[in-house]
Amino acid sequence: MSAQPAPVAETGYPWPIETARLDNGLRIVVSEDHTAPVVCVNLWYDVGSRHEPPGQTGFAHLFEHLMFEGSAHVGKTEHMRYVQGAGGSLNATTNPDRTNYFQTLPSEHLELALWLEADRMGGLVPALTQETLDNQREVVKNERRQRYENVPYGDAWLRLLPLLYPSGHPYHHATIGSMEDLNAASLETFQAFHALYYAPNNAVLTVTGDVTPAEVFALADKYFGMIEPVPDIPAAPHGHIAGPATTPVRETVTGSVPAPRVYLSHRTHAFGTAGYDAITVLAAVLGSGRGSRLYQRLADGARIAQPDYIGAYGVDLAHAPAPLIVTATAKDGVDTETLEAGVAEVLDSMAAEPVTEAELERAKALLTTAWWRQLSTVGGRADILGRYATQFGDASSAAYRLPQWQAVTAGDIAEAARTLNPESRVTLVYLPEGTEA
C-alpha cells in the first residue's frame, strides 16, 4: 500500500487530501479536519442501474436495502444498531452511476464503522437468505408505490428516462427497476450480482473529519486488506450518444394530479465537462429561486404558474449526456397549452436574450452557496471526494468544480442554450382526470 498527498485548489477544497490503494485494489481517500470530534466513512461502489444487464433492472437499488440486512458477523439490522448506539447516523443511496453507503459518528468509533463496512463487503453473500431477499423485495415494491405510483407526478422520472434515452441505453431505466425483473430473479442470481460488483477493486473508501491518514490507512488495511479482488469486472454498457436528439418526443398523462404540469427536457453533456458546467449555470439563471427567469416571467409576470412548483435543474449523470429538466405547474384556471407555451418561451429566451451580468452573478452566487453548504459537513465532503475519485479517478479534482462554474461566461450560456431547440425537446405533460388532452 502506498499513500500520497493530493494537491488542492485554494478556491474549491481547502482541506488536505491524501490517498492510498490497497493491494486488492481498494482506493482510500482521507481528508483530515480536527475542527470537531466527528468522522464520516463513505464507501462508493462503481455500480448503479446503468450496469444492470437486461432482466436484472433494480438490482443495484435492491442491494442498497440488502446491505443493511446482515453479513457474516453482523446480524439482521445490527449495522444500524451499532452505528446509532455509538451516537452516529447512517444511510445509503443508489443512482444510475453508483451506490454509496455512509455513516457519520464520533471519531472514536472510526474502527467500528470500518469493520462494519468491510464485513458487508466481504461477507454479505454468505448471510443472504431467501427470506431476507423476499422481505426486501416487498420493501422495494412498497417504496415504488409510495414514491412513484401513489403520489401526484411521482412517476415523471420513470417516464422521462425512456423518452430521453433509447431502448438499450444504460440510462433508459430508473434505479427502482422493474418489479417483474426483481420477482423473477433467484437468490443465486442476486448473489452472483453482488459477488461481481461489490468488490474492493470496484470501490472507493473515503474518510473525512477528525482522523489522521496514517490511522485510516492502517485500519483499512486491517479490515479490508484480506478481501479478495474480483478479476474482470464487466464495464457498464457504453452510454455515448452522438449529438442532441433530432426529433421532438412528447407524452401526455391523464391521472390523479391537482393541476396541469409540464416538463421540458433535453439531453445535454456529461457531468464534469465544460459543456455541463455551462448548463448548470444556465439552469440556475433559468429556474433557481424568485430571481430566475421562469419565476419572474411565469409566476410574477404572466401569473400562469404556481410559484412553489417552478424550476430548472440538471441531473448530474457522468457517463452520457445528462438531462436538463424544466418544469412548471399551472395556476387555477390556466390551461395546459398556455402553460406549455409560456415555459417554452422562457426556455427559448436563453438563446434569444443574452444573460445579463446581474443574472450571471446571481446564478454563480447560488451555486457557490450550495457548494460550500455541502462542504460544511464531513458527510458532504466525503461524498464529494468519493464521487470525484470514483467517476474521474482523482478525488482532488473536486477542487476545480467551483472555479469551473465561476469561469462560465454569458457567451458559454448562449452557446449551450442554442442546443436546446424544439427539435431536440422531450415534453411530458400531466393533465388532471377529466381534462381533454
Side-chain angles (χ1 to χ4, degrees), residues 84-115:
Q84 292 170 344
S89 60
L90 71 166
N91 212 330
T93 64
T94 310
N95 74 15
D97 290 339
R98 57 91 184 115
T99 305
N100 81 312
Y101 301 87
F102 49 94
Q103 45 249 302
T104 300
L105 65 175
S107 51
E108 64 195 75
H109 297 296
L110 168 66
E111 187 165 5
L112 169 66
L114 294 175
W115 171 70

Side-chain angles (χ1 to χ4, degrees), residues 28-96:
I28 307 165
V29 179
V30 182
S31 186
E32 186 175 357
D33 175 18
H34 300 288
T35 304
V38 177
V39 64
C40 179
V41 173
N42 188 309
L43 193 62
W44 270 56
Y45 288 98
D46 191 8
V47 57
S49 58
R50 74 186 183 99
H51 296 81
E52 295 164 347
Q56 295 186 11
T57 64
F59 276 36
H61 173 252
L62 182 61
F63 270 107
E64 177 193 319
H65 293 261
L66 291 172
M67 295 277 268
F68 290 100
E69 294 301 303
S71 49
H73 303 98
V74 179
K76 181 180 174 67
T77 73
E78 284 190 353
H79 191 121
M80 292 185 181
R81 184 173 63 83
Y82 281 134
V83 173
Q84 292 170 344
S89 60
L90 71 166
N91 212 330
T93 64
T94 310
N95 74 15

Side-chain angles (χ1 to χ4, degrees), residues 170-393:
Y171 289 158
H172 180 75
H173 68 278
T175 56
I176 195 70
S178 157
M179 292 304 101
E180 291 77 16
D181 288 351
L182 292 176
N183 285 330
S186 66
L187 176 63
E188 292 73 22
T189 305
F190 281 103
Q191 289 172 327
F193 186 87
H194 182 277
L196 192 58
Y197 290 107
Y198 297 80
N201 53 318
N202 201 43
V204 172
L205 172 68
T206 304
V207 181
T208 58
D210 185 28
V211 296
T212 65
E215 175 188 17
V216 175
F217 296 153
L219 289 172
D221 192 38
K222 176 181 178 181
Y223 291 111
F224 290 89
M226 68 198 62
I227 303 174
E228 292 293 324
V230 173
D232 303 321
I233 296 174
H238 201 285
H240 177 71
I241 299 178
T246 57
T247 304
V249 178
R250 67 182 299 120
E251 180 180 352
T252 300
V253 181
T254 302
S256 299
V257 296
R261 178 176 289 184
V262 172
Y263 294 87
L264 303 184
S265 188
H266 291 267
R267 295 198 308 257
T268 64
H269 306 272
F271 171 78
T273 63
Y276 191 73
D277 289 334
I279 289 292
T280 301
V281 182
L282 180 153
V285 172
L286 181 60
S288 291
R290 298 175 66 91
S292 68
R293 284 195 183 183
L294 282 170
Y295 194 101
Q296 292 288 311
R297 300 187 184 188
L298 301 186
D300 276 355
R303 299 194 175 184
I304 61 174
Q306 297 184 35
D308 294 337
Y309 300 98
I310 193 168
Y313 52 92
V315 181
D316 298 345
L317 303 179
H319 299 282
L324 170 71
I325 298 174
V326 185
T327 184
T329 303
K331 294 189 74 171
D332 288 346
V334 176
D335 60 65
T336 311
E337 291 78 10
T338 301
L339 178 68
E340 182 180 339
V343 176
E345 182 179 0
V346 180
L347 175 55
D348 294 340
S349 79
M350 298 302 297
E353 303 173 31
V355 171
T356 67
E357 190 62 29
E359 286 180 312
L360 191 59
E361 289 181 0
R362 176 184 173 276
K364 291 180 180 180
L366 289 172
L367 292 169
T368 299
T369 299
W371 177 257
W372 288 114
R373 182 179 292 118
Q374 184 172 5
L375 287 179
S376 68
T377 67
V378 291
R381 277 176 245 158
D383 199 51
I384 285 177
L385 295 179
R387 156 176 254 180
Y388 281 81
T390 303
Q391 296 183 334
F392 306 111

